[in-house]
Amino acid sequence: MSKRKNQVNHEDSDSDSEDTPTFIDVDFDFFGFNATIDYHAIKRLLDQLFGVDAEGLSTHALADLVLSQPDIGTTIKTDGEESSPYAFLSVLNIGVHNDNVSIKSLVEYILAKSKGDNAFHESLSTVLRDPQCQVGLVLCERLINMPVPVIPPMYRMLVDELRDAVEENEPFNFTHLIFVSRVYKLTPEEEDAMTIARQQPGKASKRQKSQNSNEETNDRSPDGVYPFHPEDEEIRKFASHHLIFPYSNAQPRNAESFGLDTAGRLMLVPAAQLTELARVLGDVFQPPGNV
């Protein structure tokens, strides 16, 4: 059964018109997880989330864990419940699932990556060891060019679902949340090309359109690092620690390298901030016409 329906104006980047973008109305339906239908799509989105490091992180087992919680988290579909999800949001209790091969791999991976920031690593190690701390792993991913306004409703529903689960004495009374996401890096030359493309609507390449669709302002990043998911910049404001890290299996890059230079992102957020975070996301990323 659909949780709710949301209609968003979505730009068609494959329009035949070079100068005028085409906007279409798309109905996005929000569903709980369906283990029979959703496995392959969730697995693919998890592989996308962890990039070139996904192969060593047992994402098949991680997908099974996500699907084992049909009442916690949301998928987004456009062709009914029997179709594949285009996006999902879930949270897993690391302590409850610490014997699962995927959680073991991820905890080891996250701790190793957090060593890039001593304070982050120390805090993360402490909360993961402390039996008084309940740490949730937040997983959120979507297909490229999915409109950002579909994300806040998922977070609002997650807040309600976690509250209901806690009232039923289920293990979702988190003290901390670990957010995993991804970023891309642009050279100064690539940033110049992106700026020029913005000044010439309809002339950007599909790669440039993908970059532009994930940035809410024309401001350059001071370090050339940009989020794939614009909402990450709001989540980061609630984080006690934040880190951009290189992928372990990333190939060396040079001037001839093809594709985006990608990296991972970790954020540690006090769970008590989740309700306010969901509210802020809703305020910042409103559907067109609601602002």
Side-chain angles (χ1 to χ4, degrees):
M1 179 180 294
S2 175
K3 293 183 175 183
R4 59 173 289 178
K5 185 183 292 285
N6 196 26
Q7 188 177 72
V8 176
N9 290 324
H10 181 46
E11 180 179 343
D12 182 4
S13 61
D14 293 324
S15 170
D16 291 335
S17 170
E18 288 294 320
D19 299 312
T20 305
T22 299
F23 290 89
I24 57 175
D25 287 333
V26 180
D27 285 333
F28 293 100
D29 288 314
F30 298 77
F31 294 94
F33 291 97
N34 187 319
T36 303
I37 298 167
D38 297 343
Y39 172 80
H40 293 290
I42 298 300
K43 168 71 163 54
R44 284 193 297 269
L45 288 170
L46 287 170
D47 288 342
Q48 177 177 291
L49 177 62
F50 292 104
V52 293
D53 288 350
E55 186 174 351
L57 296 175
S58 302
T59 53
H60 62 286
L62 190 60
D64 284 332
L65 270 186
V66 170
L67 294 170
S68 73
Q69 301 180 164
D71 297 326
I72 300 293
T74 301
T75 65
I76 297 179
K77 303 180 179 184
T78 62
D79 296 313
E81 188 171 7
E82 302 299 313
S83 61
S84 294
Y86 288 179
F88 83 95
L89 169 67
S90 185
V91 59
L92 299 169
N93 188 316
I94 289 177
V96 168
H97 300 294
N98 60 2
D99 289 332
N100 184 280
V101 62
S102 64
I103 296 299
K104 284 183 177 180
S105 298
L106 271 172
V107 168
E108 181 180 339
Y109 179 81
I110 289 169
L111 283 173
K113 295 303 181 183
S114 70
K115 289 180 179 178
D117 180 327
N118 288 334
F120 193 173
H121 180 70
E122 184 175 337
S123 294
L124 200 54
S125 300
T126 298
V127 300
L128 288 171
R129 286 196 309 261
D130 188 346
Q132 299 302 312
C133 293
Q134 295 293 311
V135 184
L137 175 65
V138 179
L139 301 169
C140 186
E141 187 56 293
R142 59 186 182 271
L143 295 183
I144 219 166
N145 286 340
M146 281 282 287
V148 187
V150 302
I151 299 302
M154 292 204 294
Y155 275 95
R156 289 196 296 269
M157 286 185 281
L158 183 64
V159 169
D160 293 338
E161 290 159 356
L162 292 178
R163 183 188 62 242
D164 292 345
V166 170
E167 291 177 354
E168 296 295 325
N169 294 318
E170 296 182 30
F172 293 99
N173 192 17
F174 297 117
T175 58
H176 300 81
L177 297 170
I178 299 173
F179 289 76
V180 181
S181 194
R182 55 198 180 96
V183 300
Y184 61 90
K185 303 176 183 179
L186 298 179
T187 65
E189 293 76 17
E190 289 172 327
E191 288 183 308
D192 288 341
M194 180 178 64
T195 300
I196 293 171
R198 283 174 171 162
Q199 296 169 352
Q200 299 177 343
K203 302 300 183 183
S205 69
K206 285 189 176 182
R207 170 177 165 176
Q208 289 166 337
K209 285 179 181 179
S210 173
Q211 293 168 5
N212 293 348
S213 69
N214 284 294
E215 294 161 26
E216 295 303 303
T217 73
N218 290 329
D219 295 334
R220 288 193 178 192
S221 166
D223 53 5
V225 176
Y226 296 87
F228 277 101
H229 300 156
E231 68 271 17
D232 287 349
E233 294 305 299
E234 298 303 321
I235 296 172
R236 184 177 66 168
K237 296 174 184 177
F238 288 86
S240 58
H241 297 281
H242 164 262
L243 175 69
I244 304 295
F245 64 87
Y247 286 130
S248 301
N249 296 318
Q251 296 298 309
R253 294 182 63 85
N254 55 45
E256 302 302 319
S257 295
F258 178 77
L260 290 173
D261 182 10
T262 59
R265 166 179 259 170
L266 290 173
M267 294 174 281
L268 182 64
V269 176
Q273 295 292 321
L274 184 61
T275 300
E276 179 63 11
L277 168 58
R279 185 194 67 77
V280 168
L281 292 181
D283 289 345
V284 174
F285 301 108
Q286 296 186 31
N290 289 12
V291 180

